[in-house]
Amino acid sequence: MIDMKLPCAVLRLLYKLCTNHFTRVICNVVQSSWFKVFNGVKHGGVLSPVLFCVYIDGLLSPVCAAKVGCSIGTMFTGILAYADDIALLALTAYALYAVNL
């Protein structure tokens, strides 16, 4: 995981971009009322992939470092991730929750 300090101005900008976000659902010609979004990144947002990667790296890195799960030869394959899909691999179901990370 990358440990970096961002300038306050950048943090404020990111905060403003990610809070007070409202959306609505449109199905055919029917539109819902506007409602506040409390989590996630904006679909189609330019920064959304970067923000998601920063967030998910903090979750994936400890699993990879612990080397809990399966390996193919010397390559750790205990967690596979592509976009927002994640698969945890282990020899037994118990191994998936036996270790505290």
Side-chain angles (χ1 to χ4, degrees):
M1 185 166 85
I2 299 172
D3 184 27
M4 62 181 178
K5 305 292 185 208
L6 294 175
C8 290
V10 173
L11 291 175
R12 280 193 301 273
L13 174 65
L14 290 173
Y15 178 78
K16 290 289 187 185
L17 288 172
C18 295
T19 57
N20 296 321
H21 177 221
F22 289 82
T23 194
R24 65 181 172 178
V25 177
I26 301 173
C27 182
N28 294 327
V29 294
V30 180
Q31 299 179 9
S32 74
S33 300
W34 288 93
F35 58 92
K36 189 168 183 163
V37 178
F38 291 100
N39 60 359
V41 293
K42 293 181 183 180
H43 182 76
V46 176
L47 282 178
S48 295
V50 175
L51 294 174
F52 179 78
C53 287
V54 169
Y55 171 77
I56 203 70
D57 185 63
L59 298 175
L60 299 179
S61 293
V63 175
C64 292
K67 302 260 189 249
V68 175
C70 296
S71 293
I72 298 175
T74 59
M75 186 171 57
F76 174 69
T77 56
I79 187 164
L80 304 175
Y82 180 77
D84 62 349
D85 297 320
I86 298 173
L88 299 173
L89 306 174
L91 296 175
T92 66
Y94 179 76
L96 290 174
Y97 64 88
V99 176
N100 290 328
L101 298 175

